[in-house]
Every structure is written in C-alpha cells, then in structure tokens.
Amino acid sequence: MHLGLEKKVVLVTGGTKGIGRAIVASFLSEGAIVHFCSRTKADIEASTKGLSEAYPQTKAFGVVVDVSKLSDLNAWVHKCAEQSGGIDVVVPNVSCFAMKNTVEDWQACFHTDMLALWSMIQTALPYLEKTKGNVVTISSVTGRDIDFTAPSPYGAMKAAVVHYTAQLAHTMAPKGVRANTCSPGNIYIEDGVWGGIERDSSELFKKQMALNPMGRMGKAEEIADAVVFLASQRASFVSGTNMVVDGSLCTGVQL
Ligand SMILES: NC(=O)c1ccc[n+]([C@@H]2O[C@H](COP(=O)([O-])OP(=O)(O)OC[C@H]3O[C@@H](n4cnc5c(N)ncnc54)[C@H](OP(=O)(O)O)[C@@H]3O)[C@@H](O)[C@H]2O)c1
C-alpha cells in the first residue's frame, strides 16, 4: 500500500522516547520530513544523529521544546512551517502521566495533555487548511475503560482528547482538514511507563499483563504504524474516528 507521505511535513511532540520515537521513525521510513521535540537536549541530539544516519534520504529536525510552555510550543510550530514550507500532519503525543487524584495533578494533566494539545493544533490549523492536512491525537484505552489509575485526571483528559478531536474533525471537514485519534493499549517500552511499573510494582505489572488477551503488551511500532496510516492519503475518508490499538484489551464494544 502506497501511503503518499513522501516530503510531507510532520510535527511530533515527545519524539525521543517510546511511542513518539517510533512515530518519528515510521514517518521517516515513508519519506516524510519530520520535526520533533522533547525537553532533554542530549536525547534530541542523539535522536537527530541516529535518525539522520538511519534515514539519510529524508530530514529529521529535533528541537528542545517543553510543550507545557505554550508560547515556546507555538513558536516552534510557526518555525517548523517556515523552515519546511508548511505543515501537513500534526501529532501531539505528549502526556504528563498525572495519575494522582490531587489538584496539582488535575491542573498539570489539563495543562499538558489537553491545553497544550489544543494550543498546538490551533496554531497549526491555518497551515493545515492550506495543505488539506490532518491531525492525529494520542489518547489511551484509559480514556475509554476505567482501570487501575482511577480516580485520576489521566483517563478523564484522555477521554477529553477523543471528544475534542471528533469536534475538530466535524468542524474542519468542510475545509478539507481531517482529525483522528489513536488510543494505545498497554505498550511495553523498557525505559517507559510499563518498564517502570515492571521494575517498581511487579504485582501490578503481572495483574495488568494478565488482562491482555494476546498474552503480551503492544510495541511502540504497532502504534506508530496505525498513526502513520491515519495520517496518510490512504485514510482520506477517515476523520473523527478513535482507532483503539490494544490487542483487544478493552472489553466494552465501541459502537
Ligand atoms: N506507553 C503506554 O502504554 C501508553 C498507553 C496508552 C497511551 N499512551 C500515550 O502515548 C503517548 C506517549 O507515551 P509513551 O509511553 O511513549 O511516553 P514516554 O515513553 O514516557 O515518552 C515520552 C516522550 O515525551 C517527551 N516529553 C515528556 N514530557 C514532555 C514535555 N512537557 N514537553 C516535550 N516533550 C515531553 C519525553 O522526553 P523528555 O522527558 O526528555 O521531555 C519523551 O520523548 C502519551 O500520550 C501516552 O498517554 C501510552
């Protein structure tokens, strides 16, 4: 299947680790030009070097940006558009994984998971209108099912991401801009959330692993491939959907 992503300009937040890192690599493997950010300079430098070696025919531009600093985030979006002559795809991928039921975590989660996502998309929309581009937001099965994190802001904000993305799809459809969500299940990354839970809370890890009917957690690349498909020309009539990629972890039927 030809995805038609060559030379498309893609922005990914949180692109140096986990799912974001796999999304960046997957877009590059399709010939896209990818701008990505994270907060850690050393990771940005190592990722940019590694990606340029792995995908010499394409361009990967990494920059230090903390998405919770909205003015920095928005300035980065404008700069990417200026540098690469527009924007075709936006993937706001960062979460602050705020899982405590406290005012501080509710505020942090709203700010990073929802407001920064909204702000980035608002800034990118004029560019996306010009290119008839699209947005792929990253939610979670925790936005759909009540799990071990409840009660906490994480699932509530992830549900808000799905709702907002569907609103965006509906309101922007007449202008040719698509918007979809990808909701990962449990994705095992050694230096990520589940690697940490395996090390620090082995009982919880075993319990959660047992809920996965495929007998395993997902891989970051399995999420990246779904995101890349949603962003591609081959998904030209797919807008407003929430693609759950969870190896059938969720037991509720999504109607
Ligand atoms: N892993 C899972 O099982 C799972 C399941 C469902 C949904 N998700 C969703 O998938 C997305 C990615 O999760 P992940 O597990 O891949 O995370 P991860 O492994 O912790 O990676 C997070 C990435 O985001 C960057 N980052 C974090 N905070 C940032 C900030 N404020 N500004 C800029 N960059 C920031 C990190 O780099 P720095 O720390 O250097 O900034 C890193 O590159 C999240 O939205 C998460 O909710 C994950």
Side-chain angles (χ1 to χ4, degrees), residues 13-21 23 37-41 43-44 64-69 92-97 99 112-113 138-142 154 158 182-189 191-194 217-218 220 223:
T13 66
T16 55
K17 290 183 198 147
I19 291 170
R21 177 170 57 197
I23 292 172
C37 74
S38 81
R39 296 166 300 181
T40 310
K41 193 164 179 262
D43 289 349
I44 288 285
V64 173
V65 175
D66 180 342
V67 303
S68 69
K69 295 179 180 154
N93 162 66
V94 168
S95 166
C96 68
F97 291 102
M99 292 181 186
T112 299
D113 290 31
I138 308 299
S139 180
S140 167
V141 286
T142 307
Y154 182 69
K158 287 301 193 185
C182 178
S183 287
N186 302 150
I187 305 306
Y188 185 85
I189 299 142
D191 60 349
V193 178
W194 285 106
M217 293 185 176
I223 303 305

Side-chain angles (χ1 to χ4, degrees), residues 21-33:
R21 177 170 57 197
I23 292 172
V24 169
S26 197
F27 274 113
L28 286 170
S29 74
E30 292 300 323
I33 296 162

